[in-house]
Amino acid sequence: MKNFCFTVLVAFFLPLATSAQAYLVPREGIRASAWFPDHPVTGAFDVNDTLLMVHNSGSIQLLDVRDGALKATLTEPGDYLPVHFVSFVALSPDGKSLWTGYTTSDFSDDRLYRIDLATGAWTHMATFPGNYDLEFWNDHLLVSGLNSRDWFAPNGIYLLDATGADDHRLLVETGGYSAGMAVDSQGNLHYGTSFGMDPNGLYRWDSARISGIISDSEADPLGLTDGLLLSGLPAGAADCALDDADSLFVNMNVYGGTKVLARWTGRFGEGVHLDTLAEATGEGDWLGSIGTRGAFHRAQAGNAVFTFSYGMALTEVHADYAPEVILPLTDLEVTDPDDDSLVSLAGVFSDPDDPDDEIVLTLAGNSDPTLVGAEVDSEVLRISFPDDRSGSAELVIRAESKGRYVTDTLTVRVTSTTGMDRNPWVEMTVYPNPASHEIWVDSGPFVPAVLRLFSLEGVCVGAFRVESGPARIGLPSLPPGTYILQMDSASGSVRQRIQIL
């Protein structure tokens, strides 16, 4: 039979849900947050990487998933006169159209529409009494519901006839109240039953069995015993959904009791094989359809499962995200350092689902502490240089929040001009020093030679070729300060500090 909440939702449950205080409390390691509270869901929704589609009475709103900005409003046809309720909204696999379903209080004019997203045109594709959910199966459309005006008719999953004849064909007899379904990447069909008194279960029918029933118009429909029992359900299911990794989610409602969003553990057979993600205990809470983005088990921003309580905001539920590297650390090059170097860590890391000021920063690694000393003080990395020698060291900074962490690495390259990179037989005279616009370089017989000018951070800011000496070198426009002039010739290399005014 048709799920009770759809036909009497407005009269009974919606006012309670709007005022309920308790709503989707997550378990440990799980986060739940309202998604765009200005757009509560009273009908149905779908979501992908770019759009949130909310279908409430009268129109479908297309929202940008990044900031909730309204992209478009699709107003339902004005010639659909009976009082009707939204059953589902589903984006087609090619992203070009939306399918949506309506029911009426007496199942007399329950319609399915396809909306062209390019033109906004609505096309009445079929009439299906007591429709509940729609899924795409290859080139076919599957619809769960009654397909009957009889309230107490058995529920099932049907192959939709969109030719206009409405000769919808029963594929799976499910019984119980209406519930949502899901198709995985292999074409397997999933469904959670919703019996009032009988035991409930989460089932999967093999893609090959579904294909066989569809291709043989004389075949008998499948039943629950033809499917694989994945898990018992402690209450009737409202909907189920699969993420990009084919993880299966289901939500359940108990009248006057707890409402649960759970994930199937992967075990199957008798018993309950579910991990509870979040639950709602408010008197008026009643969970509707489920949507997913990405792969839930990968704790990355955007990967989540979504559901809602009627009249409340859509809720995003996800595994606790680790901090992320927003501004990667830049490698540091220093020449003959006299003082400690300070590196700001502010803004390097961010936590998508917890306050950034709760991120704890620590030094997690130093490949050569004899060359480079390092310590983290709040959001500052202090680097010291205990030894007067050249080399490089890798520093690993760890950012941790609520037990999850991420690291970033920077390399510190130290160049010491004391006692290295110098051939005692190679000489270079630089004048004037300090200088402002130009210098003269006398390298004696050690020509031809290449001159390179480095900042103290090791960045080359100028290069020149000397064929004979003395040579006049025009200085580039540089900030005043100390620089290193390096001469390389066939006889060797030599460096000298110069001061630019």
Side-chain angles (χ1 to χ4, degrees):
M1 65 186 67
K2 182 71 173 174
N3 196 312
F4 178 75
C5 72
F6 271 97
T7 55
V8 296
L9 170 64
V10 175
F12 293 97
F13 286 109
L14 183 56
L16 291 173
T18 303
S19 60
Q21 298 299 313
Y23 179 51
L24 277 187
V25 180
R27 292 291 178 90
E28 184 177 357
I30 304 296
R31 294 286 183 269
S33 59
W35 227 37
F36 310 135
D38 293 339
H39 298 278
V41 184
T42 59
F45 80 96
D46 199 0
V47 63
N48 66 3
D49 290 339
T50 59
L51 286 178
L52 168 62
M53 297 142 273
V54 177
H55 190 178
N56 292 330
S57 178
S59 66
I60 300 174
Q61 292 187 319
L62 307 183
L63 308 174
D64 192 316
V65 297
R66 297 169 299 180
D67 54 13
L70 181 63
K71 308 292 288 185
T73 298
L74 308 173
T75 304
E76 67 182 34
D79 60 353
Y80 189 17
L81 300 180
V83 176
H84 45 264
F85 311 96
V86 178
S87 298
F88 63 84
V89 60
L91 181 67
S92 64
D94 61 10
K96 295 181 179 180
S97 62
L98 281 175
W99 285 73
T100 191
Y102 294 99
T103 60
T104 57
S105 58
D106 59 357
F107 303 147
S108 60
D109 192 6
D110 294 6
R111 301 185 180 185
L112 273 66
Y113 283 89
R114 184 185 65 201
I115 306 103
D116 188 311
L117 291 180
T119 65
W122 292 59
T123 303
H124 179 195
M125 300 300 296
T127 297
F128 188 112
N131 65 81
Y132 189 97
D133 190 21
L134 177 143
E135 285 289 332
F136 301 90
W137 195 91
N138 294 337
D139 295 329
H140 302 285
L141 294 169
L142 308 184
V143 176
S144 66
L146 298 181
N147 194 30
S148 170
R149 293 185 61 180
D150 180 2
W151 178 275
F152 295 99
N155 272 278
I157 298 174
Y158 290 79
L159 180 66
L160 183 72
D161 175 13
T163 66
D166 293 327
D167 186 17
H168 314 304
R169 184 165 155 241
L170 181 63
L171 300 180
V172 183
E173 294 178 336
T174 60
Y177 294 99
S178 302
M181 54 187 168
V183 176
D184 66 20
S185 61
Q186 305 301 313
N188 302 314
L189 179 62
H190 300 73
Y191 183 87
T193 65
S194 184
F195 292 102
M197 300 296 292
D198 295 339
N200 286 292
L202 187 60
Y203 290 87
R204 181 174 69 204
W205 290 269
D206 183 81
S207 176
R209 297 292 300 273
I210 300 297
S211 177
I213 296 294
I214 291 177
S215 60
D216 183 0
S217 60
E218 300 299 322
D220 293 331
L222 303 174
L224 296 180
T225 56
D226 296 306
L228 175 66
L229 175 63
L230 304 179
S231 174
L233 297 178
D239 193 15
C240 62
L242 293 138
D243 68 5
D244 287 352
D246 280 343
S247 292
L248 179 61
F249 303 86
V250 63
N251 58 4
M252 296 158 282
N253 293 296
V254 175
Y255 293 105
T258 300
K259 294 82 181 177
V260 172
L261 173 66
R263 177 176 56 171
W264 178 49
T265 64
R267 297 179 59 191
F268 58 88
E270 298 291 338
V272 177
H273 309 302
L274 302 173
D275 286 333
T276 296
L277 302 180
E279 57 186 36
T281 58
E283 182 181 358
D285 291 328
W286 193 262
L287 301 183
S289 56
I290 305 176
T292 65
R293 287 177 64 201
F296 183 87
H297 74 278
R298 300 189 187 102
Q300 301 172 357
N303 293 351
V305 58
F306 304 85
T307 191
F308 68 96
S309 179
Y310 287 95
M312 305 289 282
L314 188 67
T315 298
E316 177 192 38
V317 180
H318 57 263
D320 187 25
Y321 298 146
E324 298 177 342
V325 178
I326 304 300
L327 297 172
L329 293 166
T330 303
D331 292 347
L332 183 65
E333 300 195 27
V334 293
T335 301
D336 291 333
D338 293 325
D339 300 312
D340 293 353
S341 293
L342 302 179
V343 177
S344 175
L345 302 178
V348 174
F349 305 97
S350 182
D351 193 326
D353 58 0
D354 287 307
D356 286 352
D357 58 12
E358 295 183 6
I359 297 176
V360 177
L361 303 176
T362 56
L363 179 69
N366 182 352
S367 64
D368 191 350
T370 64
L371 175 71
V372 171
E375 61 179 359
V376 174
D377 182 8
S378 185
E379 292 188 322
V380 175
L381 171 64
R382 179 180 293 275
I383 302 174
S384 58
F385 307 92
D387 195 4
D388 186 15
R389 63 184 178 90
S390 299
S392 64
E394 288 192 345
L395 304 180
V396 180
I397 308 301
R398 171 178 169 137
E400 182 174 346
S401 176
K402 302 291 179 63
R404 301 185 64 86
Y405 69 90
V406 69
T407 62
D408 195 19
T409 302
L410 77 156
T411 300
V412 182
R413 299 183 181 90
V414 183
T415 300
S416 173
T417 62
T418 303
M420 68 171 295
D421 294 330
R422 181 179 179 91
N423 187 324
W425 303 107
V426 178
E427 295 182 355
M428 175 176 63
T429 303
V430 180
Y431 56 91
N433 189 9
S436 56
H437 303 295
E438 63 181 20
I439 57 174
W440 287 83
V441 178
D442 187 356
S443 57
F446 305 105
V447 289
V450 175
L451 298 175
R452 292 184 178 86
L453 188 62
F454 292 90
S455 69
L456 290 181
E457 287 74 32
V459 178
C460 182
V461 295
F464 321 91
R465 184 171 179 83
V466 177
E467 298 293 343
S468 62
R472 185 174 68 177
I473 304 298
L475 297 175
S477 298
L478 294 169
T482 301
Y483 294 82
I484 304 296
L485 183 65
Q486 176 177 309
M487 184 183 75
D488 298 306
S489 70
S491 301
S493 299
V494 65
R495 293 180 179 182
Q496 183 173 328
R497 291 193 185 206
I498 66 170
Q499 191 76 21
I500 295 181
L501 300 176

